[in-house]
Short mmCIF file of all heavy atoms in Angstrom, two decimals:
data_model
loop_
_atom_site.label_atom_id
_atom_site.label_comp_id
_atom_site.label_asym_id
_atom_site.label_seq_id
_atom_site.Cartn_x
_atom_site.Cartn_y
_atom_site.Cartn_z
N ARG A 1 159.63 63.99 170.96
CA ARG A 1 160.24 62.78 170.45
C ARG A 1 159.18 61.71 170.19
O ARG A 1 158.16 61.67 170.85
CB ARG A 1 161.30 62.27 171.42
CG ARG A 1 162.58 63.11 171.35
CD ARG A 1 163.50 62.93 172.54
NE ARG A 1 163.01 63.52 173.78
CZ ARG A 1 162.93 64.83 174.04
NH1 ARG A 1 163.29 65.70 173.14
NH2 ARG A 1 162.48 65.28 175.19
N ALA A 2 159.49 60.81 169.26
CA ALA A 2 158.58 59.75 168.86
C ALA A 2 158.94 58.44 169.57
O ALA A 2 160.12 58.11 169.72
CB ALA A 2 158.66 59.54 167.35
N TYR A 3 157.89 57.72 169.98
CA TYR A 3 158.07 56.42 170.63
C TYR A 3 157.04 55.44 170.08
O TYR A 3 155.94 55.83 169.71
CB TYR A 3 157.88 56.53 172.15
CG TYR A 3 158.93 57.39 172.81
CD1 TYR A 3 158.72 58.77 172.97
CD2 TYR A 3 160.13 56.85 173.23
CE1 TYR A 3 159.69 59.56 173.55
CE2 TYR A 3 161.10 57.64 173.82
CZ TYR A 3 160.88 59.00 173.97
OH TYR A 3 161.85 59.79 174.55
N SER A 4 157.43 54.18 170.07
CA SER A 4 156.50 53.13 169.64
C SER A 4 155.85 52.45 170.83
O SER A 4 154.95 51.64 170.66
CB SER A 4 157.21 52.09 168.77
OG SER A 4 158.24 51.47 169.51
N CYS A 5 156.32 52.78 172.05
CA CYS A 5 155.71 52.15 173.22
C CYS A 5 155.66 53.11 174.40
O CYS A 5 156.56 53.91 174.62
CB CYS A 5 156.41 50.84 173.54
SG CYS A 5 157.63 50.83 174.81
N LEU A 6 154.56 53.01 175.12
CA LEU A 6 154.30 53.87 176.28
C LEU A 6 155.38 53.74 177.35
O LEU A 6 155.86 54.74 177.87
CB LEU A 6 152.94 53.47 176.86
CG LEU A 6 152.63 53.92 178.28
CD1 LEU A 6 152.42 55.42 178.32
CD2 LEU A 6 151.40 53.22 178.80
N GLU A 7 155.76 52.52 177.65
CA GLU A 7 156.72 52.28 178.74
C GLU A 7 158.05 52.98 178.47
O GLU A 7 158.63 53.61 179.36
CB GLU A 7 156.92 50.78 178.95
CG GLU A 7 155.67 50.05 179.41
CD GLU A 7 154.69 49.67 178.30
OE1 GLU A 7 154.98 49.93 177.10
OE2 GLU A 7 153.63 49.13 178.63
N GLU A 8 158.54 52.86 177.24
CA GLU A 8 159.80 53.51 176.88
C GLU A 8 159.67 55.03 176.96
O GLU A 8 160.57 55.72 177.46
CB GLU A 8 160.24 53.09 175.48
CG GLU A 8 161.55 53.72 175.06
CD GLU A 8 161.94 53.40 173.63
OE1 GLU A 8 161.21 52.67 172.93
OE2 GLU A 8 162.98 53.94 173.19
N MET A 9 158.55 55.56 176.48
CA MET A 9 158.35 57.01 176.51
C MET A 9 158.37 57.53 177.95
O MET A 9 159.03 58.53 178.25
CB MET A 9 157.03 57.39 175.83
CG MET A 9 156.76 58.89 175.84
SD MET A 9 155.30 59.39 174.90
CE MET A 9 153.98 58.61 175.85
N LEU A 10 157.66 56.86 178.85
CA LEU A 10 157.63 57.33 180.25
C LEU A 10 159.01 57.22 180.89
O LEU A 10 159.42 58.11 181.64
CB LEU A 10 156.60 56.55 181.05
CG LEU A 10 155.13 56.76 180.65
CD1 LEU A 10 154.20 56.05 181.63
CD2 LEU A 10 154.77 58.23 180.54
N ALA A 11 159.73 56.15 180.60
CA ALA A 11 161.07 55.96 181.18
C ALA A 11 162.04 57.02 180.67
O ALA A 11 162.83 57.57 181.45
CB ALA A 11 161.59 54.56 180.86
N GLN A 12 161.97 57.33 179.40
CA GLN A 12 162.91 58.30 178.81
C GLN A 12 162.54 59.75 179.14
O GLN A 12 163.41 60.55 179.45
CB GLN A 12 162.95 58.13 177.29
CG GLN A 12 163.56 56.84 176.82
CD GLN A 12 165.05 56.76 177.14
OE1 GLN A 12 165.79 57.72 176.96
NE2 GLN A 12 165.48 55.62 177.64
N GLU A 13 161.27 60.06 179.06
CA GLU A 13 160.85 61.46 179.21
C GLU A 13 160.61 61.88 180.66
O GLU A 13 160.71 63.06 180.97
CB GLU A 13 159.59 61.73 178.38
CG GLU A 13 159.78 61.55 176.89
CD GLU A 13 160.84 62.46 176.31
OE1 GLU A 13 161.12 63.55 176.86
OE2 GLU A 13 161.42 62.08 175.27
N LYS A 14 160.22 60.94 181.51
CA LYS A 14 159.89 61.27 182.90
C LYS A 14 158.95 62.48 182.97
O LYS A 14 159.26 63.51 183.57
CB LYS A 14 161.14 61.49 183.73
CG LYS A 14 162.02 60.25 183.80
CD LYS A 14 163.23 60.46 184.65
CE LYS A 14 164.16 59.28 184.72
NZ LYS A 14 164.08 58.20 183.82
N PRO A 15 157.77 62.36 182.33
CA PRO A 15 156.85 63.50 182.25
C PRO A 15 156.12 63.77 183.56
O PRO A 15 156.04 62.90 184.43
CB PRO A 15 155.87 63.06 181.17
CG PRO A 15 155.80 61.58 181.34
CD PRO A 15 157.22 61.17 181.68
N ASP A 16 155.56 64.96 183.65
CA ASP A 16 154.67 65.28 184.77
C ASP A 16 153.29 64.67 184.53
O ASP A 16 152.65 64.20 185.46
CB ASP A 16 154.52 66.81 184.91
CG ASP A 16 155.84 67.46 185.21
OD1 ASP A 16 156.47 67.09 186.22
OD2 ASP A 16 156.25 68.35 184.43
N VAL A 17 152.83 64.73 183.26
CA VAL A 17 151.48 64.26 182.94
C VAL A 17 151.48 63.53 181.60
O VAL A 17 152.19 63.89 180.68
CB VAL A 17 150.47 65.43 182.93
CG1 VAL A 17 150.79 66.44 181.86
CG2 VAL A 17 149.04 64.92 182.78
N MET A 18 150.66 62.49 181.54
CA MET A 18 150.45 61.73 180.33
C MET A 18 148.99 61.86 179.92
O MET A 18 148.09 61.64 180.72
CB MET A 18 150.77 60.25 180.57
CG MET A 18 150.32 59.33 179.45
SD MET A 18 150.74 57.58 179.68
CE MET A 18 149.90 57.16 181.20
N HIS A 19 148.77 62.20 178.65
CA HIS A 19 147.42 62.25 178.09
C HIS A 19 147.18 60.94 177.36
O HIS A 19 147.94 60.57 176.46
CB HIS A 19 147.30 63.42 177.10
CG HIS A 19 147.25 64.75 177.77
ND1 HIS A 19 146.21 65.63 177.58
CD2 HIS A 19 148.11 65.36 178.62
CE1 HIS A 19 146.44 66.72 178.29
NE2 HIS A 19 147.58 66.58 178.93
N ILE A 20 146.10 60.26 177.73
CA ILE A 20 145.76 58.97 177.10
C ILE A 20 144.68 59.22 176.06
O ILE A 20 143.56 59.58 176.38
CB ILE A 20 145.30 57.95 178.15
CG1 ILE A 20 146.41 57.69 179.15
CG2 ILE A 20 144.85 56.65 177.46
CD1 ILE A 20 146.02 56.75 180.29
N CYS A 21 145.06 59.01 174.79
CA CYS A 21 144.16 59.25 173.65
C CYS A 21 144.07 57.99 172.79
O CYS A 21 144.10 58.06 171.56
CB CYS A 21 144.68 60.42 172.83
SG CYS A 21 144.80 61.97 173.75
N THR A 22 143.98 56.87 173.42
CA THR A 22 143.98 55.57 172.75
C THR A 22 142.57 55.00 172.70
O THR A 22 141.65 55.54 173.32
CB THR A 22 144.88 54.59 173.53
OG1 THR A 22 144.38 54.48 174.87
CG2 THR A 22 146.33 55.04 173.55
N PRO A 23 142.39 53.87 172.01
CA PRO A 23 141.09 53.20 172.08
C PRO A 23 140.71 52.90 173.54
O PRO A 23 141.57 52.65 174.39
CB PRO A 23 141.33 51.91 171.29
CG PRO A 23 142.39 52.28 170.31
CD PRO A 23 143.30 53.21 171.07
N HIS A 24 139.41 52.93 173.80
CA HIS A 24 138.90 52.87 175.18
C HIS A 24 139.36 51.65 175.97
O HIS A 24 139.55 51.74 177.17
CB HIS A 24 137.38 52.97 175.18
CG HIS A 24 136.71 51.93 174.35
ND1 HIS A 24 136.53 52.08 172.99
CD2 HIS A 24 136.20 50.73 174.67
CE1 HIS A 24 135.92 51.00 172.52
NE2 HIS A 24 135.72 50.18 173.51
N TYR A 25 139.54 50.51 175.34
CA TYR A 25 139.93 49.32 176.09
C TYR A 25 141.37 49.40 176.62
O TYR A 25 141.75 48.60 177.48
CB TYR A 25 139.74 48.05 175.24
CG TYR A 25 140.53 48.02 173.95
CD1 TYR A 25 141.82 47.53 173.91
CD2 TYR A 25 139.96 48.51 172.77
CE1 TYR A 25 142.54 47.51 172.73
CE2 TYR A 25 140.66 48.48 171.59
CZ TYR A 25 141.95 47.99 171.56
OH TYR A 25 142.66 47.97 170.39
N LEU A 26 142.14 50.38 176.17
CA LEU A 26 143.50 50.57 176.67
C LEU A 26 143.60 51.62 177.78
O LEU A 26 144.64 51.76 178.40
CB LEU A 26 144.42 50.97 175.51
CG LEU A 26 144.60 49.94 174.42
CD1 LEU A 26 145.35 50.53 173.24
CD2 LEU A 26 145.31 48.71 174.95
N HIS A 27 142.53 52.37 178.02
CA HIS A 27 142.58 53.47 178.98
C HIS A 27 143.03 53.03 180.36
O HIS A 27 143.96 53.62 180.93
CB HIS A 27 141.22 54.17 179.07
CG HIS A 27 140.87 54.93 177.84
ND1 HIS A 27 139.67 55.60 177.71
CD2 HIS A 27 141.52 55.13 176.66
CE1 HIS A 27 139.62 56.19 176.54
NE2 HIS A 27 140.72 55.90 175.87
N VAL A 28 142.39 52.04 180.94
CA VAL A 28 142.71 51.66 182.32
C VAL A 28 144.11 51.07 182.44
O VAL A 28 144.86 51.50 183.32
CB VAL A 28 141.63 50.73 182.91
CG1 VAL A 28 142.06 50.15 184.25
CG2 VAL A 28 140.32 51.52 183.08
N PRO A 29 144.50 50.10 181.63
CA PRO A 29 145.86 49.58 181.79
C PRO A 29 146.93 50.68 181.68
O PRO A 29 147.90 50.69 182.44
CB PRO A 29 146.01 48.56 180.66
CG PRO A 29 144.63 48.20 180.25
CD PRO A 29 143.77 49.39 180.58
N MET A 30 146.73 51.60 180.76
CA MET A 30 147.71 52.68 180.59
C MET A 30 147.67 53.66 181.75
O MET A 30 148.71 54.13 182.22
CB MET A 30 147.48 53.40 179.27
CG MET A 30 147.85 52.56 178.08
SD MET A 30 147.56 53.45 176.54
CE MET A 30 148.41 52.37 175.40
N ALA A 31 146.47 53.98 182.23
CA ALA A 31 146.35 54.89 183.37
C ALA A 31 146.99 54.28 184.62
O ALA A 31 147.72 54.96 185.34
CB ALA A 31 144.88 55.22 183.63
N VAL A 32 146.72 53.01 184.85
CA VAL A 32 147.31 52.33 186.01
C VAL A 32 148.83 52.34 185.89
O VAL A 32 149.54 52.63 186.87
CB VAL A 32 146.77 50.89 186.13
CG1 VAL A 32 147.57 50.07 187.13
CG2 VAL A 32 145.29 50.91 186.52
N TYR A 33 149.33 52.07 184.71
CA TYR A 33 150.79 52.07 184.51
C TYR A 33 151.36 53.46 184.81
O TYR A 33 152.35 53.59 185.53
CB TYR A 33 151.14 51.65 183.07
CG TYR A 33 152.62 51.47 182.89
CD1 TYR A 33 153.22 50.24 183.18
CD2 TYR A 33 153.43 52.51 182.46
CE1 TYR A 33 154.58 50.07 183.05
CE2 TYR A 33 154.79 52.35 182.32
CZ TYR A 33 155.37 51.13 182.62
OH TYR A 33 156.74 50.97 182.50
N GLY A 34 150.73 54.48 184.28
CA GLY A 34 151.22 55.83 184.53
C GLY A 34 151.18 56.22 186.00
O GLY A 34 152.17 56.72 186.55
N LEU A 35 150.04 55.98 186.63
CA LEU A 35 149.90 56.33 188.05
C LEU A 35 150.90 55.58 188.93
O LEU A 35 151.46 56.16 189.87
CB LEU A 35 148.48 56.04 188.52
CG LEU A 35 147.39 56.95 187.94
CD1 LEU A 35 146.01 56.36 188.19
CD2 LEU A 35 147.50 58.36 188.50
N THR A 36 151.13 54.32 188.64
CA THR A 36 152.07 53.53 189.45
C THR A 36 153.53 53.83 189.11
O THR A 36 154.43 53.37 189.81
CB THR A 36 151.81 52.01 189.30
OG1 THR A 36 151.94 51.64 187.93
CG2 THR A 36 150.43 51.64 189.82
N HIS A 37 153.75 54.62 188.08
CA HIS A 37 155.10 55.05 187.73
C HIS A 37 155.31 56.55 187.93
O HIS A 37 156.16 57.17 187.32
CB HIS A 37 155.44 54.62 186.29
CG HIS A 37 155.70 53.16 186.18
ND1 HIS A 37 154.70 52.22 186.11
CD2 HIS A 37 156.86 52.47 186.18
CE1 HIS A 37 155.23 51.01 186.05
NE2 HIS A 37 156.54 51.14 186.09
N GLY A 38 154.48 57.13 188.79
CA GLY A 38 154.70 58.51 189.22
C GLY A 38 154.31 59.59 188.24
O GLY A 38 154.86 60.69 188.27
N VAL A 39 153.32 59.31 187.38
CA VAL A 39 152.90 60.28 186.36
C VAL A 39 151.43 60.63 186.58
O VAL A 39 150.60 59.75 186.78
CB VAL A 39 153.10 59.70 184.94
CG1 VAL A 39 152.64 60.68 183.88
CG2 VAL A 39 154.55 59.30 184.73
N HIS A 40 151.13 61.92 186.55
CA HIS A 40 149.73 62.34 186.53
C HIS A 40 149.13 61.86 185.21
O HIS A 40 149.81 61.80 184.19
CB HIS A 40 149.59 63.86 186.63
CG HIS A 40 150.13 64.44 187.89
ND1 HIS A 40 149.53 64.25 189.11
CD2 HIS A 40 151.21 65.23 188.12
CE1 HIS A 40 150.21 64.89 190.04
NE2 HIS A 40 151.24 65.49 189.46
N VAL A 41 147.83 61.54 185.22
CA VAL A 41 147.18 61.00 184.04
C VAL A 41 145.93 61.81 183.71
O VAL A 41 145.12 62.10 184.59
CB VAL A 41 146.79 59.52 184.26
CG1 VAL A 41 145.95 58.99 183.11
CG2 VAL A 41 148.04 58.66 184.45
N PHE A 42 145.80 62.15 182.43
CA PHE A 42 144.59 62.79 181.92
C PHE A 42 144.10 61.89 180.80
O PHE A 42 144.82 61.66 179.83
CB PHE A 42 144.87 64.20 181.41
CG PHE A 42 143.63 64.94 181.00
CD1 PHE A 42 142.70 65.34 181.93
CD2 PHE A 42 143.40 65.25 179.67
CE1 PHE A 42 141.55 66.03 181.57
CE2 PHE A 42 142.26 65.95 179.28
CZ PHE A 42 141.33 66.33 180.23
N MET A 43 142.90 61.34 180.96
CA MET A 43 142.44 60.34 179.99
C MET A 43 141.14 60.72 179.32
O MET A 43 140.29 61.38 179.90
CB MET A 43 142.33 58.97 180.65
CG MET A 43 141.30 58.87 181.75
SD MET A 43 141.47 57.41 182.82
CE MET A 43 141.24 56.08 181.72
N GLU A 44 141.01 60.25 178.09
CA GLU A 44 139.79 60.43 177.33
C GLU A 44 138.70 59.52 177.88
O GLU A 44 138.96 58.59 178.63
CB GLU A 44 140.04 60.10 175.85
CG GLU A 44 140.52 61.29 175.04
CD GLU A 44 139.49 62.40 174.91
OE1 GLU A 44 138.27 62.12 174.90
OE2 GLU A 44 139.90 63.56 174.80
N LYS A 45 137.49 59.79 177.47
CA LYS A 45 136.37 58.96 177.87
C LYS A 45 136.23 57.78 176.92
O LYS A 45 136.71 57.88 175.79
CB LYS A 45 135.10 59.81 177.90
CG LYS A 45 134.75 60.43 176.56
CD LYS A 45 133.72 61.50 176.74
CE LYS A 45 133.61 62.40 175.57
NZ LYS A 45 134.78 62.92 174.98
N PRO A 46 135.62 56.74 177.30
CA PRO A 46 135.15 56.46 178.67
C PRO A 46 136.33 56.07 179.54
O PRO A 46 137.28 55.44 179.07
CB PRO A 46 134.20 55.28 178.47
CG PRO A 46 134.77 54.53 177.32
CD PRO A 46 135.34 55.60 176.40
#
């Protein structure tokens, strides 16, 4: 399914793992959000 925002996607899908493939300045905020919402996180570098 398609989503325009990370928060809605995590709430609706309740995934086991989220892959972060965004620009680098978004990696940490998104990873923190995922981890604090019970999702394993796999992120791109840096």
Side-chain angles (χ1 to χ4, degrees):
R1 284 163 289 289
Y3 295 91
S4 61
C5 99
L6 163 70
E7 296 82 3
E8 180 185 359
M9 180 174 65
L10 294 186
Q12 292 293 316
E13 298 300 334
K14 298 182 182 15
D16 298 303
V17 63
M18 169 178 60
H19 287 237
I20 299 176
C21 300
T22 58
H24 56 276
Y25 59 88
L26 296 171
H27 291 178
V28 171
M30 290 180 168
V32 168
Y33 188 87
L35 291 166
T36 59
H37 286 80
V39 179
H40 298 290
V41 173
F42 186 68
M43 64 196 298
E44 272 294 329
K45 60 194 163 314

